[in-house]
Structures are given as C-alpha cells and as structure tokens.
Amino acid sequence: MNPSHQFLEHGVSHQNLKRTSCANVLTLAYQSLGVVYGDLSTSPLYVYKTSFSGKLSLKEDDEEILGVLSFIFWTFTVIALFKYVFIVMSAHDNGEGGTFALYSLLCRHAKLSMLPNQQPADEDLSAYSTEDSADTWQSSRLKLFFEKHPRFQKGLLIFVLLGTCMTIGDGVITPAISVFSAVSGVQVKINQLHDNYVAIVSCIILVGLFSIQHHGTHRVAFLFAPVVAAWLLCISGVGIYNIFRWNRQVYRALSPIYMYRFLKTNGMEGWLSLSGVVLSITGVETMYADMGHFSALSIKIAFTCLVYPCLILAYMGEAAFLSKHHYDIKRSFYKAIPEAVFWPVFIVATLAAVVGSQAVISATFSIISQCCALNCFPRVKIVHTSSKIYGQIYVPEINWILMCLCLAVTIGLRDTNMMGHAYGLAIMTVMFVTTCLMTLVIIIVWKKGIIKALSCLLLFGSIELLYISASACKIPEGGWIPILLSIIFMGVMFTWNYGTRKKHQFDVENKVSLSKMLSLGPCLGMVRVPGIGFIFSNLASGIPAIFGHFITNLPAFHQVLVFVCAKSVQVPHVSENERLVISRIGPKEFHMFRCIVRYGYKDMQQENYNFENKLVSAIIQFVETEDNAEEQTNELTIDDGNINMEESYKAESMQILKAKESGVTYIIGHSYAEAKKSSSILKKFGIDIVYAFLSKNCRDPDIMLDVAHTSLLEVGMAYHV
C-alpha cells in the first residue's frame, strides 16, 4: 500500500506515523481542503451582504467599505491565524482537537471527569499521558478549587455542552445558508426570479444531500479537495481582477486605523454590522475539530499557504468592486464576477457550498457519537460507512432531524441576512467556549503563569464578546434560532446525563455482596447450569443489583459467569490490546470473572466484530497466564476472533471452552427511573416524562451488541431518584 494512502486510512488520530515525510504532509494538506475548509471558504458568499443588511449605508468616501474590510482582515488574522493556528492547535489530545479534546485534557490533569467507573488503572493507558512537570501554585490552587467545589465541575460540563449544542446548531444553519446563498446567485442573471423559487431549488439540493448520507462520503470525497481548491483559486483570481480593475488603493484598509474610524463615524449601526463581519471566520472551529483526521502541520500549511491568502484577496477584491458600485451591495459577490466567467464560478460556488455543508454534517455525526460515549446523549444507531477510513459514520436519526431543521430554516427565513445572524451567534459562542477552556488548559495542563492565561482570555475573549454582543442584538432577526436549538439539545443532554448518573448511583448503593449471595445458595437451591453467562452492567466493581434480583427469582446461573462493564475513559482512543481488562471474582472454583471494556470518547462503541469469541479468548489467556507455576502444555491461537486449540488446555480452560460450546447467554438489565413523590414538578417532568421517553426510544444495548433474541435474557428493575 502506498504510504500516503496508509497514512490517510489509519488517520493521525491514532498517531500511527508521528514523523511523516514532506510528501505525506503535503498530501494531507491538499486532502484537508475538502474536509476542513469547505465551510470557511464559502463565507465570501454572504459576508458583505449581511454586514450591510441594516441601516448602515455606503458613502462616497468609502470609509464604510474600508472599515468593514479592515474588521474582516484583522478578525480573520487575529482569531483564525493567531488564536487557532498558532495557539489552540497546540492544545491537542493525542492528536485530536475540538471542544471535547480540551475538556478531556482538563479532566485528566485536574480530575474533573464526571464519567462513572473511573479507575486508577485507566491512567496506565498509553493515551493517558500527562505532563511530568511539577504543578505551579496557580495550577495547584485551580485544581484544589475544582476539587472542593463539585458544582463548578458540573458547571464546566454544562459550559462544554453549551459549545457542543451551538456546534450542532451550526450543523443546521450552515447547509441552509451556504446552499441558499450559492443558488441565489442565479438571480443576478434572472432578475425576475422570486426568492420562493430559490428556496425550492435550495430545498431540493438539501434533500438530495441528506438522502445520500447513508452511502458515506468516501466514494466522492476525492472530489471535495479539487472543488474547494478550484473555488479558492476562482475567488482569489476574481479578487485580484477587481482590485486592479476598480480600486488599487483598497490595501489601505489593512491599517487598523480604519476600524476606529468606522466605529467612530457609524456608532451603533457600525457596531451592529459586526454581526455580519463575524461570518468571515465561520468554519474556523471546524479547522481545529478536524485536526485528528489529518495533522496539525498539514492543516496549518493548507491554511497559511492557500486558504488565508485566497480569502483575503477575495474580500479585498469585493471591497474594491463595492467602492465603485454602492448599489450592488445585495448581490455584490456575484455582481463582482466578470461576465465571461460567471457561470463557471456559479457552478463551482454551488459545488463548494455542498462540500462545506457535507463537512459540517459529518462533524455533527461525530459530535453526537462523542456525546453518547460521555453519557450526554441517548444511544442512537451509528453506521460505519467505510471499512477502510476510520471515523466515517452515519447517524440516521440525527441525519433526518438535521434535514427537517435545515428545510424549516430555508423555507421559514428565505433570507441570507437572517440566516447569517443566527449563524454568527452560534459560531461565536463556540469560539468563546474554546477560549475559556484554553485559558484553563494554559494554567492546568501547560502549567504556565496566570498572566499568560489572562492575556489569552482578554485578547481573544474581548474580541469574541464584542461580536457576541453585536450578534445578540440580532436575536429577533434570526439569532433566536441557535438559542432555541441549544436549549432543546442541552435539555436533552443534561436530562440524559443526570438520569444516567442517578442510575449509576443507584447501582453502586445497591451492589450485592458476593459472600451474602453465596450464603443464600443453599436456601434458594441455587444450581449451576451449563454455558457461559455474560451479565452486562455499568459497574466496574462489585456485583450488580440486577444479578441479585435475577437469582432470587430464578436460583440458577451459568457454569461460567462474566460480569461485563463497557465504559468510556477520558482519552480519544483506546488501542485494541488495552481495551479488555480481565479479573477474577471470588475463588478459582467459582469460575466467575469480570471484564471491563474500555473505549475512548471517539471510539465507536459497537461490538459487531465477534465480541463473544474475543472475550472468551481474553478470559482463556488470563487463565493461562494467571498461574505461572503450572506448566503450559498447549498453545492458544487467535485468528480473527476464532479459537483454535492444540493438544489440551488446563482444566479450567477446558471447562470454559466446553461451557462456550453449551451456549452463551446475554443477561442485560433494564432499569426504569421514577422520580420520588417528594420531588419538585420540574424534576418529575424531567425524569418521569423526558428521561422515560428518551430511555424508551433510545437504542437498546442488545441491538448495539447484535445479540440474537434466543440468547438474550432481560432483567427489569425500577429505582427512584
């Protein structure tokens, strides 16, 4: 296999190749154009139009045009280049980026994790490395503060979920505004075409886009990079043409003095227009979040060498055109395209909008998958669309929800200005969350001084709050959309997380003592039946209450018992050789084991790869290596999960194999939460209605494990919270 192909297929998130050749880095930089920069590169379609959508008007001296261009240039430079490329992308979690990566770093270094079943052994994972340098007094005090105040740990989780929900909102708005803006360009040539027809064509494209998601993007992904590259070259070429054709003095706007003049001259209207300027950095957060699919170096090269200069030239060229065509502001992007190349650029713009939408949709699928792993979202069906490229998934339920919401936004608004106002508020909230988390990372993880951390917070946070304040004033004009979506998704996430934590708390408080259970054996007439029983619970230690409930009603259990706990750990990926942790419960003659299955927050929690055989193989390996004094007389060979036996195993190994031949039963508990009678109305609504509805309609564990109904045994229990 070609090294570059191998590198792309395995992904840098696993850090398979830490030292890559120049050719591989350049290949990844080219590939990242289609996945990472589709959203960011289509921003020129609507930035100027949205910036001048209010009462702000263009005057003869071009101060407004140059002021907006100056804001675009410096916002793009400070936020995209300085903040993300130079600083934020250095804070990665084993090569992974994004909000969850920053939160994971903090959880490992400051013990902030809200995940249950965290054990000291998890810190021995190869991906769980932490800085060896000693804590500073600032980092020590900050860690101690979070340890003493659990409410702030919960508050930090809610803050992270806020950024996550806004990102999901971004996944709703991006396809709508990108496709609608691209298609509306046809009105430049067909003036009488009504917005309703543009909306209809946009909806047809969106329905087609979401309808092909189940096929995966790997079949057409090779087209994404050429489309975005062609788009960037087109808009930069048009930009250079407009600069030389209409206004060669437009470079003066690169001076920050024009920002001051703009706000001084236009006052409140100038400040409100910043809600449109912020759209110039849409997609920057995606650049950081998708770092794990490529590498920090490749993404930085693509941005600094191609994306950044091309977009700056495009914005400068459009400003040069507007300086001579004040009345074309509503269609300035397409009006600025020379007549000879209009239709080719229009076609490329439409394709680029689809590519940008695809990137955001895929990112939303990934975020939902991570939320499920962190117990912050109900279990949903996750389909792997590629057997070669890691991480390409499809979530049917989320796909159709996104499609309906995108269509609702497109049909309901039919205006890129209102879509832009909603878009700006969503992306700036996510960026502000990243800035705050980066401040904590600088102190706790990097162990730098508080002065450096506060400098980062004040510099970038103040800029982002400025844009958030401008976007917040547009809440009645479309900004309410991401807020409403965030409230709904946050309500679902927090309710599910709360109910899951209470369920785990109930299981911990009602664990069954092994000695007590065995002492009841003679009274219950307990017997061992042939076969292996896999008992699934969310406990990493102790015997779950469902098993005690099971044997008191049916006093018999299998010859070999394995208590299985699938849990998430605060790392992006867990290697296959570290996934299973086997231990013994009770004396050897009990033939009872515990298996902890560990996943990273970006791992796919689906055991459809012959989990049963792999687990039995691991148990036999554990038994074979447990007693070093006993001579090993056989050899265990594992080939794709199949167990082949040469000669004979030890007695216990033979019993396990015979038990497997007798059959394997999966015992899964179904717990039903009920709010206490003394609970508040809000809690009763959250538990008895919302959480109960989500539990009833989420994906059952037996379906995720692909268990045959003939091998499934369900045990139901109710608990009060």
Side-chain angles (χ1 to χ4, degrees), residues 141 278 388 451 525:
R141 288 194 176 185
V278 73
K388 294 182 178 180
I451 300 299

Side-chain angles (χ1 to χ4, degrees), residues 355-370:
V355 171
S357 303
Q358 175 61 59
V360 175
I361 294 169
S362 299
T364 304
F365 292 160
S366 179
I367 288 173
I368 293 296
S369 175
Q370 294 173 39

Side-chain angles (χ1 to χ4, degrees), residues 459-562:
L459 174 61
F460 302 121
S462 59
I463 296 174
E464 288 156 358
L465 286 176
L466 173 66
Y467 285 121
I468 289 175
S469 64
S471 299
C473 294
K474 301 290 186 177
I475 289 178
E477 302 174 29
W480 57 270
I481 295 175
I483 295 178
L484 178 61
L485 292 175
S486 296
I487 290 175
I488 295 173
F489 277 102
M490 278 196 70
V492 170
M493 290 182 177
F494 186 78
T495 302
W496 183 260
N497 181 263
Y498 177 81
T500 303
R501 285 189 289 109
K502 287 298 182 180
K503 179 179 182 297
H504 180 262
Q505 181 181 340
F506 170 83
D507 289 338
V508 170
E509 294 173 351
N510 292 272
K511 287 192 294 187
V512 179
S513 168
L514 178 62
S515 57
K516 181 179 180 181
M517 183 189 70
L518 294 176
S519 65
L520 292 175
C523 302
L524 298 174
M526 196 179 301
V527 295
R528 305 292 290 267
V529 298
I532 297 179
F534 288 161
I535 303 169
F536 287 82
S537 75
N538 59 352
L539 288 180
S541 62
I543 297 177
I546 61 167
F547 184 68
H549 183 65
F550 170 68
I551 62 173
T552 53
N553 289 276
L554 184 64
F557 54 90
H558 296 82
Q559 181 183 359
V560 177
L561 278 181
V562 184

Side-chain angles (χ1 to χ4, degrees), residues 42 91 140 188 239 243 285 379 534 598 617 645 663:
T42 54
S140 298
V188 173
I243 291 172
E285 185 71 26
R379 295 180 299 272
F534 288 161
R598 301 183 294 190
S617 300
M645 187 176 65

